[in-house]
Amino acid sequence: MRKLPRVLVVEDEPAIAELIAVNLRHNGFAPTVVFDGEAAQREVDSVLPDVVLLDWMLPGESGVALAKRWRQQERMKTVPLIMLTARTEESDKVQGLDAGADDYVTKPFSTQELLARIRAVLRRRAPEVVNDAVQLGELSLDAATYRVTLSGQELKVGPTEFKLLHYLMKHPERVHTRGSLLDRIWGDHVFIEERTVDVHVKRLRESLGAASAMIETVRGAGYRITAQPQAIKAKNDPTPA
Ligand code: CA
């Protein structure tokens, strides 16, 4: 029998939680509903969900704080998180993504939109089950151990940036448009703006530190990763006398 994707719903408003759960059940998911962070932690400790819908405003620990904490836990580091938020401010969205959320849905949302987002994060997650290792110049990424190293030194890379880097490293030296990156990494870009890509590229460069120049912006086209960044090549190539 096919295993139904497990969705943990962390939502303190019973009416919304119930509505989400009913719709998930009707659409081939196995939802579990909890009302606060403490219960959510107990739940993920016992059964690992395939995706978490996490309300921003919860009694006690906030959804954002919980997301941040989970991203530090080995077990929860890569489980897709969708934040449910009543807020629409751009800064709040960025804060949610910063906390490690893969996506966010603003309340009130339609069931179809929510289902599309859940399917998208599950699709996006699929490439990760291929636990391979990639090397480009001094940069290595090991999907099995979830590690990125530069000249043997481990770098701290967030979950979305990790997926982005993984994809770029598997397709180096090629220019990827924002749209194609959204397709490949986010899975479904209907609801995500292209500048989301820029936010994550910026963050990825910060994580790469000394190797940040490996990610090049190709004006008017998109991004590419290269083993030999133009900036560094220019600096290292001796000018012929
Ligand atoms: Ca709430």
Side-chain angles (χ1 to χ4, degrees), residues 207-234:
S207 300
L208 294 181
S212 63
M214 286 178 76
I215 312 240
E216 295 182 336
T217 305
V218 181
R219 206 170 284 275
Y223 295 103
R224 115 179 111 210
I225 194 164
T226 176
Q228 280 213 301
Q230 293 298 328
I232 291 172
K233 233 191 327 200

Side-chain angles (χ1 to χ4, degrees), residues 92-112:
D92 289 332
K93 290 181 181 175
V94 171
Q95 210 188 322
L97 292 171
D98 262 336
D102 296 88
D103 202 354
Y104 45 82
V105 177
T106 308
K107 291 183 201 170
F109 47 80
S110 76
T111 303
Q112 287 315 311

Side-chain angles (χ1 to χ4, degrees), residues 154-204:
E154 190 167 349
L155 302 177
K156 201 166 169 266
V157 179
T160 304
E161 289 72 44
F162 186 91
K163 283 179 226 168
L164 179 60
L165 183 63
H166 192 188
Y167 181 73
L168 289 173
M169 284 179 76
K170 288 187 85 172
H171 306 89
E173 313 296 340
R174 254 178 54 186
V175 181
H176 303 277
T177 63
R178 288 169 178 80
S180 76
L181 289 173
L182 282 175
D183 272 345
R184 299 299 181 153
I185 290 109
W186 281 262
D188 182 340
H189 66 267
V190 178
F191 306 105
I192 307 177
E193 298 161 43
E194 293 206 337
R195 50 180 292 252
T196 304
V197 176
D198 303 334
V199 171
H200 287 285
V201 166
K202 179 169 178 280
R203 211 168 287 160
L204 177 57

Side-chain angles (χ1 to χ4, degrees), residues 11-13 55-59 107:
E11 167 63 79
D12 62 309
E13 286 160 74
D55 186 29
W56 183 296
M57 301 295 276
L58 291 169
K107 291 183 201 170

